[in-house]
Amino acid sequence: MKKVVYPGSFDPVTLGHLDIIRRSSKVFDIVYVCVLNNSVKKTPLFSHAERVNMLKDVVKEFDNVFIESYQGLLVDFVKEKDANVIIRGLREITDFDSELQMAQGNHLVSPDIETLFMATDPKYSFISSSMVREFAGYGRSVKGFVPEIILPRIEEKVKNNSGGF
Ligand code: PNS
């Protein structure tokens, strides 16, 4: 069984993330999408549980994709799943520096784990979760940025967070 782990903070999941999930599910037998915390970033907008639930809703059509939640190091999660491949999407050159650092750091601490990069479909390369949070926070629709099924949850969050973005 070829297993891959697709990690991220998914705050919230975007159409770009979903595209990487869809394409990975064709290349690997099992895809574990792992919701982690990114300590470099501020407190997430959506709670861990909310991010997991949104992902669960958007991957229902894939029978080899599993949504997981983990508090800890990515490499430890990968080992727990008996996998040895991490996949990350690369949108543009500005992603490269930090992604390379992360891949090389993970490789140093866990040489058996490989990181592979998948080029983002150009139609999604401008999309980021932070852009979604910004537009949504100012009351703009994020249709076209995120899977339609999660739009109501984002709108609800904005309502409950008025002034808090
Ligand atoms: O979607 P993001 O925020 O770019 O994802 C980054 C993430 C969550 C994959 C990364 O921060 C991570 O792996 N966090 C878990 C802690 C960890 O393993 N840190 C060491 C590598 S940076």
Side-chain angles (χ1 to χ4, degrees), residues 34-37 48 52 68-78 80:
C34 184
V35 182
L36 289 144
N37 286 325
H48 224 88
V52 166
E68 304 272 345
S69 159
Y70 197 71
Q71 309 271 3
L73 282 181
L74 169 59
V75 289
D76 290 334
F77 174 82
V78 175
E80 275 184 26

Side-chain angles (χ1 to χ4, degrees), residues 46-134:
F46 292 93
S47 70
H48 224 88
E50 287 169 329
R51 289 180 274 151
V52 166
N53 288 336
M54 283 189 279
L55 273 160
K56 282 188 175 161
D57 280 355
V58 304
V59 303
K60 279 195 177 126
E61 63 183 286
F62 311 110
D63 53 14
N64 63 339
V65 175
F66 302 92
I67 306 303
E68 304 272 345
S69 159
Y70 197 71
Q71 309 271 3
L73 282 181
L74 169 59
V75 289
D76 290 334
F77 174 82
V78 175
K79 279 181 198 151
E80 275 184 26
K81 289 293 170 193
D82 202 20
N84 63 352
V85 183
I86 296 167
I87 197 152
R88 292 281 289 172
L90 273 188
R91 288 168 299 186
E92 49 184 335
I93 195 71
T94 47
D95 279 343
F96 188 73
D97 273 358
S98 56
E99 291 299 330
L100 186 66
Q101 269 186 352
M102 195 159 77
Q104 290 173 330
N106 284 334
H107 196 255
L108 186 65
V109 299
S110 298
D112 295 338
I113 297 176
E114 300 294 348
T115 299
L116 304 182
F117 296 116
M118 186 176 270
T120 298
D121 185 319
K123 65 176 181 275
Y124 302 125
S125 60
F126 67 95
I127 300 178
S128 66
S129 296
S130 55
M131 189 187 264
V132 169
R133 295 194 300 273
E134 186 97 16

Side-chain angles (χ1 to χ4, degrees), residues 21-22 25 29-33 59 62-67:
I21 294 171
R22 179 183 299 114
S25 75
D29 298 311
I30 295 184
V31 181
Y32 294 111
V33 179
V59 303
F62 311 110
D63 53 14
N64 63 339
V65 175
F66 302 92
I67 306 303

